[in-house]
Amino acid sequence: GDAESAHAFYGHAVGLSPDTASYRQRLGEWCCRLGSVAEGVAQLERAVALAPRDSAVACALSGAYVAANDWAGARRVLDKVLAGKGMLAAHYCLRGMALQHLGELDAALADFKQAAHMDTGYADAWLSMADLYRVKGEIDKAVPCAQQALALAPGSANVAQTCGDIELAQGNSRRAADHFQRATGL
């Protein structure tokens, strides 16, 4: 739980073994957590250069790009991850989020659907689909996705928030308030 010590530890590890991608990955992640996002991105880019086929390192870099509000950078990294082997539902969901932030809503929806198809129990994929359908004004399609997300993750504040947003879009103020109150409690 001591972020400063962890940062110092991984910095020392990188100093001792600068070509170990996992050390650079951890150092980059801690830099981002401590607010040194540019340094975190630099460390993670070096880690990816050392281990170009390691999807965990690449996903950490995509997360650093997100922290830097560089959604195009996150997308580039995730495009490469998804072009390789061993892709996971989470990789599609992450790229879908990047695409949504870049305004490519149809491509984002396709990635969220792919994530839900690959792992029907992946609540974030259903939640992302529900929210994107809501944003697009397709509430009738958002509702079953939100219900699925709620069934999979009943203790999630994000799911409760999205359910509230959907109820509000349907004009159901009381039900929306119930979801928002639940989200606040969570």
Side-chain angles (χ1 to χ4, degrees), residues 3-181:
E4 293 291 334
S5 293
H7 179 263
F9 174 79
Y10 283 113
H12 183 69
V14 166
L16 293 173
S17 185
D19 292 333
T20 303
S22 61
Y23 296 167
R24 285 201 183 270
Q25 175 188 353
R26 297 291 185 242
L27 178 59
E29 290 169 339
W30 280 106
C31 288
C32 289
R33 287 181 187 148
L34 293 171
S36 300
V37 177
E39 181 184 348
V41 167
Q43 291 294 337
L44 287 160
E45 285 175 340
R46 179 71 179 125
V48 166
L50 292 168
R53 293 189 177 117
D54 188 327
S55 65
V57 175
C59 286
L61 175 58
S62 76
Y65 281 133
V66 169
N69 204 29
D70 181 355
W71 292 98
R75 179 197 179 168
R76 280 191 306 276
V77 170
L78 292 162
D79 283 347
K80 289 178 186 174
V81 169
L82 290 168
K85 294 181 181 180
M87 67 268 284
L88 303 172
H91 299 144
Y92 280 99
C93 201
L94 289 170
R95 187 176 69 177
M97 289 178 200
L99 290 165
Q100 184 173 357
H101 277 86
L102 293 168
E104 299 179 39
L105 302 185
D106 291 336
L109 186 58
D111 275 0
F112 296 146
K113 286 180 178 180
Q114 180 62 30
H117 175 75
M118 289 176 74
D119 182 356
T120 57
Y122 187 39
D124 284 345
W126 293 102
L127 176 63
S128 296
M129 273 193 290
D131 191 51
L132 184 52
Y133 278 130
R134 181 192 61 79
V135 166
K136 291 177 72 170
E138 299 178 32
I139 303 303
D140 58 318
K141 293 179 181 177
V143 170
C145 295
Q147 290 171 340
Q148 182 66 18
L150 187 59
L152 293 168
S156 167
N158 290 334
V159 171
Q161 171 74 37
T162 298
C163 288
D165 290 338
I166 290 169
E167 291 291 350
L168 200 57
Q170 291 178 303
N172 301 325
S173 299
R174 185 164 312 283
R175 283 190 278 191
D178 290 343
H179 284 293
F180 294 145
Q181 187 173 23

